[in-house]
Amino acid sequence: MKPGNHTLSASEFLLLGLCEQQEQQPLIFGIFLSMYLLTVLGNTVIILAIVSDPHLHTPMYFFLANFSLTDLCLASTTVPRMLVNIQAHRNTITYAGCLSQIYFFLWFIGLDVFLLAVMAYDRLVAICHPLRYTLVMTPRYCTALLVMSLTLTQSYSLTHTSLLAQLSFCTDNIIPHFFCELLPLMKLSCSNTYANQCVLMYWGGALTILIPLLIIISYVRIVAAIVRVPSASGKWKAFSTCGSHLSAVCLFYVSAIGVYFIPSSADSASKDRVAAVMYAVVTPMLNPFIYSLRNKDMKSALGRLLSRRALRPP
């Protein structure tokens, strides 16, 4: 697909997608449709299992249900639009649609980061201060943590989107991506993007450095507390309560390190697309399997949910 073959108005952008070869589009459509359906099914089942099972009405699973809902929304921000574009053979997106996609993508990806940190804090309190856990992690406090995460990430997303709305864009409105992402859009601007870069540096630093550091500190304290547990069964039980969350954290951040912190290659656009697929598609798809396969309580709840569905009369 040659950029020069497309005439675009100033009010729309051309998304080059994951692959510019038309003969590979049906394969890409099938793969991403399957991944999206798995994402929707897996996260919906997790949410239903937590909501329907009184045994899981605890702070840990309250945050997990919201994490699953965020993953579902994150995947729904980008993948359905890409599938529609492939089927319609039209890869343009309006200016308003592009800003809307960036707004929701930044909101949900930021919320994922904050919820991972909140879940690490929940495990820290549960393991290091078990006698005070119910006093600290009250329903009101858990709700306040969720509202704080929603507010901060929405402010981050809204700030970026508002600054983008003030930029002017050149006639070459071609985005080498399968959805509207912040950095490629900033590169297309003919305006001064200093304010955008400052917000990206400070907010991005908080999301990619400060919050992961807080998660690491939490797990250092958790491991130190577990080591002091005298019995092997007690250590295993403590490790098992945070194993699924630690796996989700590793999946999320290892993909970022593997893509963004490896030496730059010649094809930076392809590297950016790989990063976006990891964040927006692969991670939301795998998280339900991590929490259902590595967590005995979740497996029991899923079994009870499926049993109730099977016994329900038609």
Side-chain angles (χ1 to χ4, degrees), residues 24-80:
Q24 294 187 6
Q25 297 303 310
L27 176 61
I28 293 175
F29 179 87
I31 291 174
F32 277 82
L33 177 61
S34 301
M35 294 173 72
Y36 180 67
L37 292 177
L38 278 175
T39 302
V40 172
L41 177 63
N43 285 287
T44 301
V45 168
I46 292 289
I47 295 170
L48 290 176
I50 293 173
V51 170
S52 63
D53 196 322
H55 297 91
L56 301 184
H57 291 176
T58 63
M60 174 181 171
Y61 293 105
F62 169 76
F63 293 124
L64 176 57
N66 284 279
F67 185 68
S68 295
L69 179 60
T70 303
D71 275 346
L72 180 58
C73 294
L74 177 62
S76 299
T77 301
T78 57
V79 180

Side-chain angles (χ1 to χ4, degrees), residues 280-296:
V281 185
V282 176
T283 301
M285 180 188 69
L286 293 181
N287 279 334
F289 295 98
I290 291 174
Y291 280 99
S292 60
L293 295 177
R294 294 182 58 87
N295 188 302
K296 291 182 178 179

Side-chain angles (χ1 to χ4, degrees), residues 236-253:
W236 173 250
K237 182 178 180 180
F239 269 120
S240 64
T241 61
C242 56
S244 299
H245 174 258
L246 187 59
S247 299
V249 170
C250 292
L251 175 64
F252 189 90
Y253 283 106

Side-chain angles (χ1 to χ4, degrees), residues 137-186:
M137 302 302 293
T138 62
R140 177 177 294 183
Y141 187 58
C142 292
T143 303
L145 289 174
L146 177 63
V147 171
M148 179 197 69
S149 301
L150 285 166
T151 304
L152 290 175
T153 52
Q154 187 182 38
S155 300
Y156 166 69
S157 177
L158 186 60
T159 301
H160 268 306
T161 309
S162 300
L163 290 173
L164 282 173
Q166 300 176 26
L167 299 180
S168 300
F169 293 93
C170 304
T171 55
D172 186 17
N173 293 351
I174 300 173
I175 300 176
H177 227 297
F178 67 95
F179 71 98
C180 285
E181 198 181 31
L182 180 62
L183 287 177
L185 196 62
M186 285 172 57

Side-chain angles (χ1 to χ4, degrees), residues 93-104:
I93 185 171
T94 63
Y95 175 76
C98 190
L99 290 183
S100 298
Q101 196 173 60
I102 287 178
Y103 170 78
F104 286 109

Side-chain angles (χ1 to χ4, degrees), residues 180-210:
C180 285
E181 198 181 31
L182 180 62
L183 287 177
L185 196 62
M186 285 172 57
K187 292 177 182 179
L188 295 179
S189 174
C190 300
S191 307
N192 188 343
T193 60
Y194 177 76
N196 303 70
Q197 292 172 2
C198 287
V199 172
L200 182 63
M201 180 174 66
Y202 291 113
W203 271 101
L207 291 175
T208 59
I209 298 175
L210 179 59

